[in-house]
Amino acid sequence: QKEVEQDPGPLSVPEGAIVSLNCTYSNSAFQYFMWYRQYSRKGPELLMYTYSSGNKEDGRFTAQVDKSSKYISLFIRDSQPSDSATYLCAMKAAGNKLTFGGGTRVLVKP
Amino acid sequence: SAVISQKPSRDICQRGTSLTIQCQVDSQVTMMFWYRQQPGQSLTLIATANQGSEATYESGFVIDKFPISRPNLTFSTLTVSNMSPEDSSIYLCSVAKSYNEQFFGPGTRLTVL
């Protein structure tokens, strides 16, 4: 079993819809959680990070962490075609090693 | 954030040869990392590049196969040695600007024939 599980998608939504992305994890030592966006043939781009249970908002993006369920989510409001990309969750315990999910491919249709 | 460049952006190499990938950052950073992203898979940490000392390798990765240099706080190289088709992958350099912020370069797409 992988330490971090993420549905590969693809997830197809109409423009303006809410995109909902999830990751589950098994390692209770993970304390810090990140979301990255990766466009085709580009490096991952850090969107958000959080380290506490609850919600964190940044513009159209909301990150949610539930440590008791070992479950994290990313919501994208008012989705745009430019949001079409692969979204990667990543997490770490103490230290610097990031453990990534497999990524979810998102397609926002105009 | 950080501006990170990698050279080459892509290469096609023959089996048994070696390729050195360069990573340059626009500011001094303490922590630099090398990741691999195999086709259709997620990112896996190869090693942490330490300035002034040997790199720290993750389980499954060894120095003889992936030698790393870190001559200063803005530059690192990763060499993929004695390549086989299984080494075909995207290799990514990453830097930590703070404890929770790691930024990635554009990647080097390697194909081994």
Side-chain angles (χ1 to χ4, degrees):
Chain A
Q1 183 187 2
K2 295 179 182 177
E3 280 191 288
V4 181
E5 297 278 0
Q6 187 175 5
D7 188 328
L11 179 62
S12 182
V13 300
E15 183 176 355
I18 294 175
V19 176
S20 175
L21 303 163
N22 309 298
C23 286
T24 58
Y25 61 96
S26 57
N27 188 347
S28 58
F30 288 143
Q31 297 294 320
Y32 305 93
F33 307 92
M34 298 86 179
W35 285 96
Y36 286 84
R37 176 175 64 194
Q38 187 174 25
Y39 291 113
S40 180
R41 299 182 181 273
K42 302 286 186 183
E45 172 192 359
L46 179 63
L47 289 175
M48 297 182 71
Y49 68 85
T50 184
Y51 51 84
S52 57
S53 284
N55 294 351
K56 181 179 180 180
E57 209 170 294
D58 185 0
R60 296 186 296 115
F61 299 93
T62 299
Q64 192 174 77
V65 173
D66 183 345
K67 290 185 179 179
S68 62
S69 302
K70 297 190 180 69
Y71 187 90
I72 68 170
S73 301
L74 179 71
F75 301 98
I76 308 173
R77 290 183 299 279
D78 187 25
S79 58
Q80 305 295 311
S82 58
D83 294 324
S84 298
T86 296
Y87 290 81
L88 300 155
C89 65
M91 45 198 79
K92 69 187 183 91
N96 292 289
K97 179 185 176 182
L98 292 180
T99 301
F100 282 83
T104 300
R105 188 168 152 238
V106 172
L107 179 61
V108 181
K109 295 184 176 180
Chain B
S1 65
V3 178
I4 305 168
S5 60
Q6 286 186 232
K7 290 182 182 179
S9 59
R10 57 171 55 216
D11 208 340
I12 300 173
C13 300
Q14 296 298 318
R15 180 195 298 260
T17 63
S18 298
L19 176 72
T20 295
I21 302 168
Q22 298 179 4
C23 176
Q24 179 76 52
V25 191
D26 67 336
S27 59
Q28 292 186 343
V29 291
T30 304
M31 309 296 292
M32 292 182 77
F33 310 92
W34 287 97
Y35 285 81
R36 182 173 72 182
Q37 187 173 27
Q38 293 182 300
Q41 298 190 29
S42 193
L43 285 79
T44 302
L45 179 64
I46 297 171
T48 301
N50 303 308
Q51 197 267 331
S53 64
E54 277 198 3
T56 305
Y57 290 83
E58 296 298 310
S59 176
F61 298 97
V62 295
I63 187 171
D64 290 345
K65 176 67 175 177
F66 297 102
I68 287 170
S69 78
R70 179 85 194 272
N72 56 52
L73 293 175
T74 63
F75 187 80
S76 178
T77 66
L78 169 75
T79 299
V80 186
S81 303
N82 187 26
M83 288 184 286
S84 67
E86 292 70 38
D87 294 320
S88 297
S89 191
I90 300 172
Y91 292 86
L92 294 143
C93 171
S94 161
V95 303
K97 294 291 284 186
S98 69
Y99 190 65
N100 287 318
E101 294 180 299
Q102 278 193 31
F103 300 96
F104 285 81
T108 295
R109 186 176 294 267
L110 171 63
T111 301
V112 184
L113 303 178

